[in-house]
Amino acid sequence: MTRMLEDMDKLVSLCKRRGFIFPSSEVYGGINGFWDYGPLGVELKRNIKDAWWADNVRLRDDMVGLDCSIIMNPRVWEASGHVGGFSDPMVDCRATKERYRADQMYVFAYVFPKVNHKGEPTEAWLAGLGSSPEEALEGVEKRAAKLAKKFGEPTGAPTIIPYLQISAEDREKVIGPATDERGTLTEPRAFNLMFKTFVGALESESNVAYLRPETAQGIFANFKNVVDTGRVKLPFGIAQVGKSFRNEINPRNFTFRSREFEQMEIEFFCRPDEAAEWYAYWRKSRFQWYVDLGLKSEQLRLRDHDPEELAFYSTATADIEYTFPFGTSELEGIAHRGDYDLNQHIKFSGKDLSYFDEEKKERFVPHVIEPSAGADRATLAFLCEAYTEDEVGGEARTVLKFHPRIAPVKAAVFPLVKRDGMPEKAEAIYREMKRRFNVFYDEKGAIGRRYRRQDEAGTPFCITVDSQTLADGTVTFRDRDTCRQWRVPGEGAARALDDLLQGESIPEA
RNA sequence: GCGGGUGUAACUCAAUGGUAGAGUACCUGCCUUCCAAGCAGGCUACGUGGGUUCGAUUCCCAUCACCCGCUCCA
């Protein structure tokens, strides 16, 4: 009998109780949007990152790794578009996905003579862009003239209102600069996405720098270095795992949206004519990775973006989504980004970042497929998926059913009782295994209690030294999910554990 | 960002205008031959800062954190 985790509270308190995840700087009251990984959590997350690195980098012939600095030349963020509206209030258009500076947007309220069914004249609140109302009017006049054909000449000059002074109610009437639809503009918001800092002791505008909001740009910025030195040939990918920072307005849902988080990103470069194929490949391959590590349930899905949802430079994007207790959210995005990013860096850096194909004697800017995953989100999804409540011998138990590959502790070694030389035998096995696996030794309290403790930590196997061990040298192995036990020769215990961790199934009862 | 809620021990919760109690967990010892056993002992808390009051964990205000809904989400 298993049950899906129905709310996050249980997981949050388990994470705290067992040392997976703590609120950051908790003794000072915490800090919104930041979390710390405890002894078990750090092992879990590291195992997930290691699995990602092994499967996507080390075991492949077409991938190399990279580890870039978190603070980079601020021009990188101008090229990427992240620095565009820093500190200025911005307005988003829901229809066109464009973003405007609110202080450069003016609304022109026209009144046309044609009346509607209520007998009221037609109003049109047109938004225009410019550093002054006059400049903004230029773009708007044409659209007003078009409307005049339909509704008659406006009854006078339009009322000019800076967008920043529009009330929430009136905002619904405004027609965005690039649409004919009303009410698609959001309220003006300061967009301090990036954390700002200063390089050097002096805090002046000239030495402002940013903590990276994504690891991807470091890869693009190093594209030429890797091509020149890495002996790589298209198609190939560059992978990076590392911290990124976003000053989220509204961190929520445990670690899901944090201000400091860790990404696992790949930029896979290929010929433009092969990009669609590689996109399809990564879309499938990345989804399967989660399935193979245990996200087998219906909670996982792959969702293709609608055309109107795509960034303007992307021809296709898919999200790998997981249904958490708080809702369905993105674990990873796989985006076909075309040659947009490299071209941006070519433009801003003035350097040639094109690639010369020796075989075809062609020079071109490669296209890129970007599978971008969140390590913390993956960790959280694996925790939610693993969380199980069942019954053993009529007693409720909480167990984290992690895939052995990501389980923080691979096995626990116990003496059945603390006498007759059992602790010594058990500790010898523990010492031997510790050289290869993260294992745990425990001799305190009743055996059942020790098993349950390991269940809550997600330890897949427990190894117990008992009186029969003293007689014939065998130990018992106990499986976390079924509580089934079987005997294995003590000398072969490490190898037996290795086999089990490699996926060998447990013996039949 | 808006609205609502919560904040007492490691966890889950009580009580109280006169500084707090339980269960679980944890630690020590005894006992114990396989799934949270028992006995004895022990450690640990009123998020933070103000205010009212003779006295505040309790009332008020602020702040911080978390949760729920809306909003938002490169």
Side-chain angles (χ1 to χ4, degrees), chain A residues 29-101:
Chain A
I31 175 166
N32 193 354
F34 299 89
W35 300 89
D36 295 343
Y37 287 83
L40 286 178
V42 68
E43 295 290 342
L44 173 64
K45 186 173 161 188
R46 173 166 298 142
N47 289 342
I48 290 167
K49 289 188 288 182
D50 285 350
W52 185 91
W53 191 266
D55 295 342
N56 291 289
V57 184
R58 215 175 53 236
L59 294 172
R60 297 183 67 103
D61 299 324
D62 58 357
M63 191 79 69
V64 294
L66 195 63
D67 185 13
C68 306
S69 65
I70 285 172
I71 292 175
M72 302 200 278
N73 187 309
R75 299 252 297 144
V76 168
W77 309 113
E78 290 174 29
S80 70
H82 287 90
V83 88
F86 187 82
S87 84
D88 294 314
M90 303 295 284
V91 171
D92 285 333
C93 177
R94 295 188 189 94
T96 62
K97 300 285 169 196
E98 288 189 52
R99 176 168 292 165
Y100 311 105
R101 279 182 60 170

Side-chain angles (χ1 to χ4, degrees), chain A residues 318-367:
Chain A
D319 284 347
I320 296 170
E321 297 180 330
Y322 183 77
T323 300
F324 293 92
F326 53 77
T328 301
S329 295
E330 177 188 349
L331 295 183
E332 170 161 353
I334 297 102
H336 182 332
R337 298 177 65 93
D339 56 6
Y340 175 74
D341 301 280
L342 284 177
N343 276 331
Q344 283 295 103
H345 288 294
I346 289 169
K347 197 167 127 194
F348 278 76
S349 70
K351 298 290 184 329
D352 179 14
L353 305 181
S354 65
Y355 175 87
F356 185 70
D357 188 324
E358 297 286 354
E359 284 168 34
K360 304 206 172 170
K361 305 294 176 205
E362 280 184 275
R363 180 169 287 282
F364 57 90
V365 175
H367 279 209

